[in-house]
Amino acid sequence: MKISVLSFLFYFFPLISFAQEINESDEARYLEEDKKKISVVGGMSYLHNSFGLLYEGRIFRLRPNDALYTEFFLRYRWLDLSFSFAPKLTNINNDDPEKGKTKYFNFGFTFFLSPKIRQNLYFSQIKGLYFQDTKEFFRVLYGNDYNEEGYLQFPDAKYRSFKGETSYLWKGDKSDYRSFNNMTYQPLKDVFVISTGLFYQYNVLSDMNKTIYQGNTFTEIDNSPSKDFRIALRSGVGVQEKIKNWYVILEIYPEIYYAKVIDEDFHEFNIGGYGNGRVGYDNGKWFFGAGAQLNLINSSNENFYSATQWLFRAGIGFRFNSPTFVNRNFDKIENILK
């Protein structure tokens, strides 16, 4: 079924290629004008993330409480930043006393080392987790008659993740691939790209020594952090179709990965896939859109590596002229880097 849907999308995209595209001179003029503009996006994201705990041959899920948070993107020329957090003024991620409170923070940036080499770097931290399979876990310990309600909470638990990806564009270059990064770039024309990327991720799960269950607090004196890393080789295609000010973007990347739990005899080679899609509107001054990401790992222990299964995001943004002194200073920096 999934293969049929993807085949339909790739068949459908060429049928809408009647959209007007800008010529090379218009594109060059736009790119030059874009150097003097700042793009800002604000929106919301929902991230479904789970961390597996292997016990007695079974995987039990450790999760943050409702991963809904605000997200912002800021871009000026090649400086492309993103950050997100759960605002304190709302009840986001804190609405269920049985699951505890969760705090989020993410920061990252993207840049091109050359017209065909793109670099992504990200840092994220989640504080406050709960044991989703609490009842099933206690039934393993005490038998199937255990029927107490509630969740084990780890209020001080921190999950920190350092991620990066270096990609090479076999077909296309940075002017073609700009709008695939995020909504701060205006899609200019129909694009087809082929790329190969090396993805690397280092994770640390720590501060699990404090536990809350049914209002009671328990403290474990000794608790060592759990560390793991994953390396994946991704290769795939991306398609962008533009109809006047509307656009559709789709990327699909099968991957081969290796994962290892540090200081433990647990590692694995396997296959997986990464997909990204977005639909939006952009008239050059203001824009909006919504999209989704999906990360699939073909593994019986897929939760163990703390991989994001899926993410939805929606946002709205605008562009405005940057101050003259900022343009002047960045011109000097770019002249030095040439």
Side-chain angles (χ1 to χ4, degrees), residues 302-315:
E302 65 179 26
N303 288 327
F304 198 85
Y305 297 109
S306 310
T308 298
Q309 279 74 55
W310 47 263
L311 177 149
F312 292 104
R313 60 161 53 104

Side-chain angles (χ1 to χ4, degrees), residues 62 125-129 153-160 204-212 218-227:
L62 189 66
Q125 176 174 286
I126 301 174
K127 181 180 179 181
L129 303 171
Q153 299 177 23
F154 301 90
D156 297 335
K158 293 187 184 71
Y159 178 76
R160 289 166 288 173
V204 180
L205 179 62
S206 62
D207 300 318
M208 297 281 291
N209 55 317
K210 183 178 179 180
T211 308
I212 298 176
F218 308 91
T219 302
E220 181 182 348
I221 298 177
D222 185 19
N223 181 264
S224 300
S226 175
K227 304 175 183 179

